[in-house]
Amino acid sequence: QVQLVESGGGLVQAGGSLRLSCAASGPIFNARTMGWFRQAPGKEREFVAGISWSSANTDYADFVKGRFTISRDNAKNTVYLQMNSLKPEDTAVYSCAAGKVYRTYNARSYEYWGQGTQVTVSS
């Protein structure tokens, strides 16, 4: 059974925006840090952004700071990634993950994963 479901990916031109969503079941979402990761063809998976349960802490990879914003709505069991000023190098499959971690963004530390949503940015 799929426990995390991403949506919102698509094809956009450079400079455009997308908003990704990740919906989870309550037991998985509650009291867990949520993270967004991405993987491009032929490349290793990399951390993009993370957010703590209370939203008191957010962290971003250097290559998305100032362009992407992570947020969560605990009442809806959903985490979001607002992506602005998209670049062709942002093209990748974006996945969300849940884990009992604190400001730790090693993918191996996360317990639950979605299947990902494709983001393609044309030049």
Side-chain angles (χ1 to χ4, degrees):
Q1 184 176 355
V2 177
Q3 297 173 303
L4 300 175
V5 180
E6 302 97 335
S7 62
L11 174 63
V12 298
Q13 290 184 290
S17 298
L18 286 172
R19 191 192 195 201
L20 306 184
S21 298
C22 175
S25 66
I28 292 172
F29 192 84
N30 289 346
R32 283 178 166 83
T33 290
M34 300 296 297
W36 285 98
F37 297 79
R38 71 186 189 187
Q39 187 168 27
K43 303 294 183 180
E44 294 187 355
R45 180 180 290 167
E46 60 185 353
F47 166 74
V48 176
I51 186 167
S52 64
W53 164 250
S54 67
S55 297
N57 300 113
T58 57
D59 294 289
Y60 299 92
D62 287 342
F63 52 80
V64 303
K65 286 182 179 177
R67 299 191 297 124
F68 292 8
T69 303
I70 188 171
S71 62
R72 67 192 294 166
D73 186 338
N74 291 351
K76 295 182 178 180
N77 296 333
T78 302
V79 63
Y80 306 94
L81 185 68
Q82 178 67 48
M83 305 186 294
N84 299 325
S85 301
L86 284 162
K87 305 174 181 179
E89 51 262 46
D90 294 319
T91 296
V93 174
Y94 285 71
S95 300
C96 67
K100 295 180 180 179
V101 298
Y102 178 71
R103 310 194 79 167
T104 300
Y105 303 114
N106 184 332
R108 299 291 185 183
S109 299
Y110 287 77
E111 304 167 76
Y112 304 99
W113 289 83
Q115 294 187 20
T117 185
Q118 177 70 46
V119 172
T120 302
V121 185
S122 62
S123 59

